Structure formats: C-alpha cells, structure tokens
C-alpha cells in the first residue's frame, strides 16, 4: 500500500493530539457536531466537539530537542499537530502522559467552541459545568491533508466527560449544528438519518486508561 511505502521511505509519522468532549443527554445519547469545514465543501459529517491540545512555548522548544525535529515540524503555533521520526513515538507518548506543560482542561476551548464560534450557548449555560478526564484513545488513520496525502496520522485523544445543566442540554438538542446519536450509531459511523460519523468519534465509546 502507498501509505506504508511512504512511512518506510520517510521514517516519519504525523501526530495529532486533541481533547475530545463527551456530552450525553438524559437518554445517554452522545452529542456530535456538524463539521463546519466539511459543510462548506458540501459534505455532512459529524465529529466530536474537539480541538487540538496546545503546549507551552517553552515546552515546544523542549519537544524540538527531545524529538530531534525543527520548528517547521509543527503545523500551527503550539498545537500538538506535528510530524516526528517513527523512533520517537515512545518518547512523545511518555512526555504526553505526564500531563504537564500542556492543556489539561477543556474549559477554555469549550467556551470558545460552543459560545464564541458556534454561538450555541451563552455564558450562564456553562457556569458550574462539571468535567473530568476519563480516558485516552488512539488510532492510526490516513492523513486528511491534501499536502501530505500519503502520510499516516497517529491520532491521540484525551477524552473528557462534560456534564451540562438541563437548560444547556435542551438548547443543544434544538440546534441544527448538533445531533445526539446512540453508541451503536457511533460504532457504525452512521447517524439515524444516514449522516456520516467521523471514525475518531469511536473515542467517545472505546477507550484505554493510558497512552
């Protein structure tokens, strides 16, 4: 297969580390978000509410040294989306599992995703929101970047359960940008109305306790 040949030839793999949010309604259905970028291209795809984890600037420089990479290995700012040598995967995982010098809370970005960008909730809706880090998830998939179509991406998700109040849940259940789906639909990658569900959504129902 072409992607295997690509990895062997380049001896590198793309890493993407993100926080994924598990929000459930009273029927234990899972909230997924219509992907805005795909929608602009005429596709309807459901994804978890998620965002790339950032590290501190100081630790970005430490990672450059630890992994033997250069600044341009990072795709955007301090986001943990980067290409690293294959033999540095364990070193990267070890650093990530310390949960230091990087984002470890969904609070700031949850506000940005649901209030600032999508305008689905208001400030009061997120007051006293409870969240807990519950598990990790990993998968290797073909990179969905046109500039690097043969690369493989190791996706690592840190999953948080977020408990919203009744009013906030009611609001989310009545907006077109959100669909609540069953666990079985997530695993089948298809919603009840045949909307495609992104494979990484499996992270919300399948898990490991460590990276």
């Amino acid at each position: 297969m072409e992607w295997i040949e690509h990895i062997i030839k380049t001896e590198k793999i793309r890493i993407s580390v993100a926080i994924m949010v598990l929000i459930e309604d009273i029927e234990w259905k899972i909230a997924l978000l219509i992907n805005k970028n795909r929608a602009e291209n005429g596709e309807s795809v459901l994804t978890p509410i998620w965002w790339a984890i950032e590290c501190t600037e100081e630790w970005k420089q430490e990672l450059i040294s630890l992994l033997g990479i250069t600044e341009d290995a990072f795709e955007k700012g301090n986001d943990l989306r980067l290409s690293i040598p294959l033999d540095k995967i364990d070193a990267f995982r070890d650093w990530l599992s310390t949960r230091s010098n990087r984002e470890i809370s969904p609070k700031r970005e949850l506000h940005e995703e649901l209030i600032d960008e999508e305008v689905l909730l208001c400030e009061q809706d997120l007051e006293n929101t409870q969240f807990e880090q519950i598990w990790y998830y990993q998968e290797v998939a073909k990179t969905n970047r046109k500039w690097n179509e043969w690369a493989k991406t190791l996706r690592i998700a840190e999953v948080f359960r977020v408990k919203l109040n009744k009013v906030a849940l009611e609001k989310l259940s009545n907006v077109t940008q959100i669909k609540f789906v069953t666990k079985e639909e997530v695993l089948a990658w298809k919603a009840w109305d045949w909307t495609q569900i992104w494979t990484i959504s499996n992270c919300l129902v399948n898990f490991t306790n460590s990276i």
Side-chain angles (χ1 to χ4, degrees):
M1 297 176 68
E2 291 93 340
W3 64 264
I4 293 178
E5 294 173 357
H6 174 88
I7 289 179
I8 293 173
K9 182 178 179 180
T10 62
E11 296 184 342
K12 288 186 178 181
I13 190 167
R14 181 175 178 268
I15 303 283
S16 178
V17 188
I19 285 177
M20 303 279 178
V21 171
L22 174 62
I23 296 175
E24 296 166 304
D25 66 11
I26 59 173
E27 297 179 337
W28 302 106
K29 291 184 178 180
I30 298 166
L32 296 180
L33 183 68
I34 293 287
N35 186 278
K36 185 184 296 186
N37 292 333
R38 296 289 187 89
E40 290 173 353
N41 292 322
E43 298 179 77
S44 185
V45 179
L46 292 168
T47 70
I49 299 167
W50 72 281
W51 50 87
I53 291 177
E54 290 186 2
C55 65
T56 62
E57 180 60 34
E58 178 183 358
W59 265 92
K60 179 179 180 179
Q61 300 307 316
E62 292 284 347
L63 279 175
I64 287 173
S65 175
L66 175 68
L67 303 175
I69 57 178
T70 58
E71 183 90 21
D72 59 9
F74 288 81
E75 295 175 14
K76 179 183 176 182
N78 294 346
D79 286 358
L80 292 180
R81 291 185 290 190
L82 63 158
S83 295
I84 70 171
L86 283 174
D87 62 2
K88 297 295 184 180
I89 289 178
D90 287 343
F92 181 81
R93 283 195 181 113
D94 288 345
W95 170 78
L96 193 67
S97 65
T98 66
R99 303 189 79 237
S100 60
N101 298 296
R102 65 171 177 86
E103 287 185 296
I104 56 170
S105 166
K107 189 174 182 178
R108 179 182 65 85
E109 284 285 352
L110 192 65
H111 184 287
E112 184 175 314
E113 291 289 323
L114 297 182
I115 297 178
D116 298 339
E117 292 189 8
E118 297 291 344
V119 198
L120 303 180
L121 301 176
C122 65
E123 296 278 354
Q124 291 77 12
D125 294 327
L126 290 184
E127 286 182 358
N128 302 316
T129 295
Q130 300 177 40
F131 54 85
E132 61 175 330
Q133 193 270 353
I134 49 177
W135 59 61
Y136 290 98
Y137 176 85
Q138 297 182 76
E139 71 172 24
V140 178
K142 185 176 178 180
T143 299
N144 57 354
R145 296 290 189 275
K146 292 180 179 179
W147 44 263
N148 204 4
E149 61 179 338
W150 296 121
K152 285 303 251 188
T153 295
L154 171 60
R155 295 172 179 159
I156 301 175
E158 188 167 20
V159 182
F160 284 80
R161 175 177 281 116
V162 174
K163 295 182 179 179
L164 299 177
N165 61 48
K166 185 177 179 180
V167 172
L169 279 175
E170 183 72 20
K171 285 185 178 181
L172 292 184
S173 67
N174 287 290
V175 297
T176 58
Q177 299 98 317
I178 295 281
K179 290 184 187 291
F180 282 87
V181 300
T182 65
K183 175 181 177 179
E184 291 74 22
E185 288 168 332
V186 170
L187 293 173
W189 303 341
K190 290 286 183 183
W192 52 269
D193 60 356
W194 295 98
T195 303
Q196 179 184 348
I197 296 176
W198 192 28
T199 60
I200 192 63
S201 303
N202 281 2
C203 73
L204 302 179
V205 295
N206 289 327
F207 62 92
T208 58
N209 291 322
S210 61
I211 301 173

